[in-house]
Amino acid sequence: MVGQSRKWMTLIATTWIQAFTGTNFDFSSYSSTLKSVLGISQLQLNYLSVASDMGKALGWCSGVSLQHFPLWVVMFMAAFMGLVGYGVQWLVIQEIIALPYFLVFLLCLLAGCSICWFNTICYVLCIQNFPTNRALAISLSISYGGLSAALYTLIAKSINPENDTIYLFLNALVPVFTSSLALIPILRQPPPQQLSADAVRRDSFIFLILNILAVITGLYLLLLNSASSTASRARILFTGSAVLLFLPLCLPGIVCARKWAYQAIQTGFHFDPLSFNLVDVDEIELQKDLIGKEQSSATNGSSYDVIDEGGCFRKLMEKDRLIMLGEEYPARLLVRKLDFWLYYVAYFCGGTIGLVYSNNLGQIAQSLGHYSQLNFIITIYSTCSFFGRLLSAAPEFLHDKMNFARTGWFAIAVLPTPIAFILLTASGSETALCASTGLIGLSSGFVFSAAVSITSELFGPNSAAINHNILITNIPLGSLLYGLLAALVYDDHAENLSQESLLGGASVCMGRQCYLQTFIWWACISLLGLISGSVLFLRTRHAYDRLERNRSLPQFS
């Protein structure tokens, strides 16, 4: 029972890490001030956000570090990178020190690396402690990353509601404090152990309750964040959110203690004949798994469909498609798979474009005349991203009632993004901005969270760490290209209108035209992502169906 409680404490520690290290979500809160202090253009500001996203392209470094150092050491290395990256930026924005643009760029890169390293640590902890419910653990942990902006907004308002630069100060210090808090559960995590079928069911129940608590936490931050207009109210609301973050610590202990007490009482009052059962439940489950794999291999040996030579669409659907889930594809084979590139484009044009949108929220709100509501709009994006990440666990809970390929859920998740950009193209009102921001946050959050499990299913769990880092190279690439497009359109309109900021001479564009062309382009690009995701679903649904058929086959003759 003690070991079971420890693994849940480790999982909850990962939710704390995610909740307080998603520091890239609040970039828009201080980006305009940073732009003014440095006296740079929108294009140069875009390069700073790209630098932060480039940290994801260096995610493999965290994996290599984990091979040579203990996990807790790598965690504090990530915290130190954030401390330096954000801390020195805070000194720059406070005009305590002056640095050239290139060094500020490197600081943003270092800060972005820290976020990626924290994510890798959380993935490893979830996989080590929950091999059976890996998808549920990763989904729950990643979900809390979407709450970062809302939590940082409450902390910032609790200290000084009028100072935007405090976000950088918090970004530097809060992850260090959170890492120290999570250190004890991480050092005391239990050794790996096989779970009985009953224990797996109990874990699934605990995950359901933890997801319900997560939904309550998200609703609390979304609905009450707007009430934090004063420092005193913000402190009260943040205290409530801290209680909700620590509340899950009680649940696993209660469930495990209840189970232990029930078994102890049952054993004390009557003789249990099952205690002399010579058949190990874990061994039965292992035999079932092995037989299922053998049947899957036998089925797959003769499962190639006949290709209809007439029709290009049919050929596209059949050519080199995945036949079986879980096969290992090392990097050299991965890049030759059409399914991987469909997946890459769907992520690139669906999820990544949402991240670039969030990086530009400060200038978007300013150009549309809604800058006073910026913190609320950022909270909407962050919280909806949280709910999107949380919804990525829905396929696991609905599996018994509705069999639907995870790639199908992925394609559906991309759909809100083009709808949101079409809405922004049609209207520049505050309502349209808030609704579109929520849709984009929901969509991108689901994509980011579901992608980890999809990569593992399509291209093998053992190669997932490397393959997923190859996949997310689309994030810095998309941040550069999409941000470059937005910055060029923005600066062009700013020059035409001859508008100059009063602080530092940085160009400022006001009006719907500043981002109108960008929204049209982004809508078209996200439609491409939707098409690519739909084709991926059509090509892979047979593999998912085959897996379900193999699961439903009788295991013993």
Side-chain angles (χ1 to χ4, degrees):
M1 186 184 71
V2 174
Q4 290 294 302
S5 297
R6 285 181 182 177
K7 77 175 184 180
W8 290 107
M9 288 185 65
T10 304
L11 175 65
I12 294 164
T14 67
T15 65
W16 299 341
I17 293 172
Q18 288 286 333
F20 291 104
T21 58
T23 47
N24 54 331
F25 279 108
D26 60 22
F27 177 77
S28 296
S29 298
Y30 59 86
S31 59
S32 294
T33 306
L34 183 64
K35 178 181 176 182
S36 299
V37 170
L38 296 177
I40 57 179
S41 67
Q42 182 66 20
L43 184 62
Q44 291 173 304
L45 181 67
N46 173 69
Y47 289 143
L48 295 183
S49 68
V50 171
S52 178
D53 294 332
M54 281 177 64
K56 296 176 178 60
L58 301 174
W60 58 271
C61 297
S62 56
V64 173
S65 299
L66 285 170
Q67 294 177 355
H68 298 88
F69 300 101
L71 191 143
W72 66 271
V73 172
V74 178
M75 179 177 67
F76 278 101
M77 289 169 64
F80 179 75
M81 286 190 288
L83 178 65
V84 175
Y86 286 115
V88 179
Q89 283 187 75
W90 179 75
L91 295 176
V92 171
I93 205 171
Q94 289 288 332
E95 301 186 59
I96 297 175
I97 62 174
L99 293 177
Y101 175 81
F102 178 69
L103 288 181
V104 177
F105 181 90
L106 292 180
L107 290 172
C108 290
L109 177 63
L110 186 64
C113 282
S114 72
I115 300 171
C116 186
W117 282 46
F118 276 123
N119 289 341
T120 302
I121 291 165
C122 292
Y123 298 156
V124 170
L125 286 171
C126 290
I127 292 171
Q128 286 179 349
N129 290 278
F130 297 91
T132 306
N133 291 304
R134 179 175 54 207
L136 289 173
I138 291 175
S139 174
L140 181 68
S141 176
I142 294 176
S143 297
Y144 277 84
L147 297 179
S148 294
L151 290 169
Y152 274 88
T153 298
L154 285 178
I155 301 173
K157 288 184 178 179
S158 299
I159 300 173
N160 188 349
E162 306 300 326
N163 187 2
D164 292 337
T165 64
I166 199 169
Y167 284 92
L168 279 168
F169 181 77
L170 294 173
N171 288 352
L173 293 183
V174 172
V176 177
F177 174 77
T178 305
S179 299
S180 302
L181 193 64
L183 180 61
I184 295 177
I186 290 175
L187 289 177
R188 293 176 58 82
Q189 59 179 313
Q193 53 185 315
Q194 286 284 353
L195 295 181
S196 64
D198 183 58
V200 171
R201 285 192 294 270
R202 186 182 66 241
D203 282 5
S204 298
F205 173 73
I206 295 176
F207 271 114
L208 178 61
I209 302 300
L210 288 176
N211 276 272
I212 292 173
L213 287 175
V215 170
I216 294 173
T217 305
L219 289 174
Y220 174 88
L221 290 171
L222 177 64
L223 299 178
L224 297 182
N225 202 286
S226 59
S228 59
S229 54
T230 63
S232 58
R233 289 183 181 179
R235 293 188 191 107
I236 294 172
L237 291 175
F238 177 71
T239 302
S241 64
V243 171
L244 288 172
L245 288 173
F246 277 88
L247 187 59
L249 279 175
C250 306
L251 179 66
I254 293 173
V255 173
C256 293
R258 178 177 175 271
K259 180 69 176 177
W260 175 83
Y262 175 78
Q263 290 177 341
I265 293 171
Q266 189 180 44
T267 304
F269 281 97
H270 70 278
F271 173 74
D272 184 8
L274 294 178
S275 62
F276 288 90
N277 190 353
L278 298 179
V279 181
D280 190 352
V281 177
D282 292 338
E283 186 177 349
I284 290 177
E285 293 301 317
L286 179 60
Q287 289 174 356
K288 288 181 179 181
D289 185 53
L290 291 174
I291 291 174
K293 288 182 178 178
E294 290 173 359
Q295 291 172 337
S296 177
S297 299
T299 304
N300 290 330
S302 59
S303 60
Y304 293 95
D305 297 326
V306 178
I307 299 176
D308 183 4
E309 294 300 331
C312 295
F313 183 75
R314 176 82 176 186
K315 292 180 180 179
L316 176 64
M317 290 298 103
E318 299 289 348
K319 182 181 179 182
D320 192 33
R321 72 178 184 181
L322 290 170
I323 300 300
M324 182 175 64
L325 297 180
E327 287 187 294
E328 296 295 337
Y329 287 90
R332 59 186 177 81
L333 296 179
L334 181 77
V335 295
R336 301 177 188 175
K337 296 292 293 182
L338 176 59
D339 291 306
F340 171 74
W341 290 112
L342 288 170
Y343 183 32
Y344 192 95
V345 171
Y347 196 119
F348 178 67
C349 298
T352 299
I353 204 168
L355 178 62
V356 178
Y357 172 81
S358 72
N359 289 339
N360 282 268
L361 261 179
Q363 284 65 52
I364 291 172
Q366 184 181 51
S367 64
L368 295 176
H370 309 307
Y371 192 74
S372 60
Q373 298 297 318
L374 177 60
N375 286 335
F376 177 64
I377 295 169
I378 293 173
T379 298
I380 290 176
Y381 178 87
S382 173
T383 311
C384 288
S385 175
F386 162 76
F387 284 119
R389 294 166 188 239
L390 206 59
L391 281 173
S392 67
E396 298 296 326
F397 291 113
L398 298 176
H399 181 266
D400 293 335
K401 297 181 179 179
M402 183 171 55
N403 176 26
F404 193 62
R406 200 185 298 271
T407 49
W409 290 105
F410 186 91
I412 293 173
V414 176
L415 179 60
T417 299
I419 294 175
F421 286 127
I422 291 171
L423 180 59
L424 285 170
T425 303
S427 174
S429 66
E430 183 179 339
T431 302
L433 179 60
C434 291
S436 300
T437 300
L439 287 173
I440 294 171
L442 194 70
S443 175
S444 58
F446 191 107
V447 169
F448 294 151
S449 183
V452 181
S453 298
I454 293 175
T455 304
S456 175
E457 290 176 346
L458 296 184
F459 308 112
N462 296 332
S463 306
I466 296 175
N467 290 345
H468 193 68
N469 278 320
I470 295 174
L471 172 70
I472 62 176
T473 56
N474 78 84
I475 294 179
L477 179 61
S479 182
L480 174 62
L481 296 179
Y482 301 147
L484 181 63
L485 170 65
L488 290 174
V489 173
Y490 183 96
D491 285 340
D492 181 59
H493 283 286
E495 292 176 2
N496 291 339
L497 295 173
S498 300
Q499 294 172 316
E500 295 294 326
S501 170
L502 297 176
L503 295 174
S507 60
V508 174
C509 181
M510 299 297 295
R512 284 192 61 203
Q513 71 279 2
C514 302
Y515 277 94
L516 184 60
Q517 291 178 330
T518 301
F519 291 150
I520 294 173
W521 276 105
W522 284 356
C524 295
I525 292 170
S526 56
L527 281 173
L528 177 61
L530 176 60
I531 294 170
S532 182
S534 300
V535 174
L536 176 67
F537 162 62
L538 292 175
R539 283 176 54 88
T540 57
R541 63 177 178 175
H542 296 290
Y544 280 93
D545 290 343
R546 181 171 289 111
L547 177 64
E548 291 305 315
R549 288 197 300 270
N550 290 333
R551 284 176 176 173
S552 62
L553 287 173
Q555 303 300 322
F556 297 98
S557 56

